[in-house]
Amino acid sequence: MTRLIVWRHGNTDWNAGGRVQGQTDVPLNDVGRKQAVEAAALLAVLRPDAIVASDLRRAADTAAALAARTGHTVSYDERLRERYFGAWQGLTTAEVAAQRPAEFARWKAGNDVVGGDVETLDDLGKRVADGLQDAARLVPGGLVVVATHGAAARQGVAHLLGWPLEQVRTLRALQNCHWVELTSDGERGWQLAGYNVGVFIDRPVPPAV
């Protein structure tokens, strides 16, 4: 059985400030680095066979915390980057709502096409799912940890599972440094084994943007 851990990166100043990151290369803050170390301690116990990460710093540095514990070298894949948010990137969600209300309403409603050069959910799901599939193929029958981003993780996992958009909206956003666990036995395909797993932190969940 192949196991895949899809791990959201640690906290950043833009997460904390409700600012849309998308593919802007924002680093972890002190909280995020602490989260990565604490989560890595849990994940190392699972004895992963390989680590793959988005090449954006917040995901790469999260993966590095696990690599430091396991001795594995991290592989990087651009397909695991966060959703591209186009004209929204760098704005707070409140600013988006005020300046681009029609687009914001479509995003809040979970529409596939938002506008403002924001990547569609279908395109996001396909590219991330392709990256996840290739990561899993690195060690068939093993455990691979993939460090990625909130919206990317949710949509990529949903695409692997064949879920419609309406079902994806029933999933709560991943907390920083929490993960999804998937398994595949070659007969039934990918199955969801765990969601929003990680070190419990009693604080509001930052938006996956």
Side-chain angles (χ1 to χ4, degrees):
M1 178 181 291
T2 299
R3 297 169 66 197
L4 193 62
I5 298 290
V6 185
W7 186 22
R8 186 185 180 192
H9 61 78
N11 193 259
T12 71
D13 287 343
W14 282 27
N15 284 148
R19 195 170 295 280
V20 180
Q21 295 178 123
Q23 295 188 7
T24 308
D25 201 7
V26 182
L28 297 176
N29 58 21
D30 289 343
V31 171
R33 285 187 288 272
K34 183 174 184 291
Q35 289 173 334
V37 169
E38 291 175 347
L42 290 182
L43 290 170
V45 173
L46 302 179
R47 301 175 66 86
D49 298 293
I51 306 170
V52 183
S54 156
D55 62 341
L56 297 178
R57 283 182 293 171
R58 56 192 186 273
D61 288 349
T62 297
L66 181 58
R69 280 190 168 268
T70 62
H72 290 307
T73 299
V74 180
S75 300
Y76 302 99
D77 189 336
E78 292 183 2
R79 293 173 296 177
L80 300 172
R81 288 182 178 185
E82 181 57 293
R83 185 180 188 181
Y84 179 64
F85 273 89
W88 295 27
Q89 293 183 173
L91 301 176
T92 66
T93 51
E95 288 169 340
V96 175
Q99 298 174 24
R100 313 180 78 90
E103 295 170 11
F104 186 78
R106 288 191 287 270
W107 175 69
K108 290 287 285 184
N111 291 358
D112 181 28
V113 179
V114 170
D117 205 24
V118 176
E119 184 176 14
T120 69
L121 290 172
D122 187 57
D123 286 346
L124 172 66
K126 286 176 180 176
R127 73 164 166 86
V128 177
D130 285 347
L132 295 177
Q133 289 276 28
D134 283 348
R137 292 187 186 106
L138 292 174
V139 190
L143 169 62
V144 179
V145 175
V146 176
T148 181
H149 308 264
R154 186 166 60 170
Q155 208 63 38
V157 164
H159 192 84
L160 279 185
L161 296 171
W163 288 4
L165 289 180
E166 295 77 13
Q167 188 170 358
V168 182
R169 283 177 56 76
T170 67
L171 289 175
R172 185 184 179 191
L174 278 177
Q175 295 187 69
N176 286 116
C177 259
H178 283 54
W179 59 86
V180 183
E181 181 176 356
L182 300 171
T183 62
S184 177
D185 61 10
E187 294 180 3
R188 291 171 293 183
W190 289 106
Q191 294 185 304
L192 182 66
Y195 187 83
N196 238 338
V197 181
V199 179
F200 178 76
I201 301 172
D202 187 16
R203 61 166 60 95
V205 180
V209 292

